[in-house]
Structures are given as structure tokens and as C-alpha cells.
Amino acid sequence: MTLTTRDIDATDLTPLLAMNNGAIPAVNLLDEAELLDLVSMAHSAVMVVDDESPREPLGLVITLTAGNDYDSENYRWFEERGGDFLYVDRIVVHQGMRGRGLGQILYERVFAEAELAGLTEVTCEVNLDPPNPGSLAFHDRLGFVQLGEQVTKGGAVKVALLSAPVVLASSLPEAS
């Protein structure tokens, strides 16, 4: 199996939507129109695939820079904070492929995109309640630090707001 990343296109939306919605509550529910809107405004919308099956997504990441008209409480928190960041709106790995380094591959692409754009940090949020300890540990290994916490979705979710400095993708620590 040779894993690579490629940009998402419109023909990928149906399987990506199923993958996204299968990862709730780590990410929020989307319909196809919402996913299309998100991909359309994204700085980058990328999926990881096996070269032998390049149409079958194994994971996805969608990022945004500042200045988008995006109604996300967490994105708005980073916008209000300011700075030149690349915001990871969502990163999802297919349930059957977790623990195989796909998150690392996706984040290598994220950091490369941030560096190419001249941005200084990558930001994201991870659920504290409902808890997502695996994602918190993963982001910690990649060098993310917590900047704050926020209660969202009318009190239903509490998140840690995280940031990591942009580094060369090749120098990212192994996330094991």
C-alpha cells in the first residue's frame, strides 16, 4: 500500500460525506451542500488515498485561512484572536484505517500548505466534552499547545483550542 494525498474534487463528495458523518461527534454532521460549500471556501481540501485505489478516500482534511465568511464558533475564535493561521476545520481518518499513520500524512500536507502560504501557525480544536483523548494525544505529539477552551453548540460541546508553529513537514515528530 502506497499512501499519497491529493486534492478533493466534486466526484469525491459522496464517500467523504459518509466518512465525515461516521466520525460524529469528533466532527459535526454535514449534508452534501454544506460539504461542497466548505470545500469551495477551503484553502486546501485534501484526501489521503492508496495509489492502487486513488478514488477511494481513506482520510480527509479541510483547512481555511483567515477572512472567510464561515459560521463556525471555533473558526471565529481564532479569527478574533488574530494572526496568520491555517485553521484545520476537520480531519477525519476512515474508521478501519485509524492508527496507521494517515493523520500524520494529512498533517504533513497541512504544514506544507501553511509554509507555502507563508503562515506562521496551524490551529484546530479538539473535543474535551464529549472527550476525544486520542486526538488530544495525537495533536500533543505533533507539537500543538492549548491556547484556550470554549463551550459551543449551545453548551453541548466543550473544545480545546490548539495551535502549533509552522514547521517543515519533513521535521514533524512521528505521531506513532
Side-chain angles (χ1 to χ4, degrees):
M1 179 180 284
T2 304
L3 301 173
T4 58
T5 59
R6 70 168 179 80
D7 293 342
I8 292 169
D9 65 47
T11 64
D12 301 316
L13 295 183
T14 299
L16 291 174
L17 185 63
M19 185 186 311
N20 180 86
N21 292 346
I24 296 167
V27 295
N28 62 305
L29 177 72
L30 294 176
D31 63 30
E32 193 160 331
E34 291 168 325
L35 179 57
L36 180 59
D37 286 347
L38 187 55
V39 168
S40 297
M41 80 171 75
H43 174 79
S44 61
V46 174
M47 56 191 250
V48 63
V49 297
D50 179 350
D51 282 347
E52 294 176 15
S53 302
R55 302 302 314 164
E56 183 181 334
L58 303 175
L60 72 105
V61 63
I62 299 174
T63 65
L64 299 143
T65 53
N68 285 289
D69 183 24
Y70 183 41
D71 190 26
S72 158
E73 295 167 291
N74 299 315
Y75 173 78
R76 291 279 169 232
W77 189 93
F78 288 110
E79 273 227 312
E80 290 168 10
R81 178 180 159 265
D84 56 345
F85 61 87
L86 186 59
Y87 171 72
V88 176
D89 181 72
R90 66 197 59 239
I91 183 167
V92 179
V93 173
H94 189 282
Q95 188 170 0
M97 296 298 293
R98 293 181 185 151
R100 297 184 187 189
L102 278 70
Q104 177 83 20
I105 291 167
L106 289 166
Y107 262 111
E108 286 171 1
R109 176 78 182 257
V110 167
F111 279 96
E113 294 275 350
E115 181 182 22
L116 190 62
L119 303 172
T120 60
E121 70 179 328
V122 173
T123 62
C124 66
E125 78 279 342
V126 174
N127 287 357
L128 296 171
D129 187 23
N132 192 343
S135 184
L136 284 171
F138 172 77
H139 284 87
D140 181 62
R141 287 190 299 271
L142 291 179
F144 282 83
V145 296
Q146 185 171 328
L147 303 176
E149 293 180 3
Q150 176 167 264
V151 176
T152 65
K153 299 178 185 170
V157 177
K158 181 179 179 182
V159 297
L161 300 147
L162 308 175
S163 172
V166 171
V167 295
L168 293 174
S170 61
S171 65
L172 278 177
E174 288 297 318
S176 53

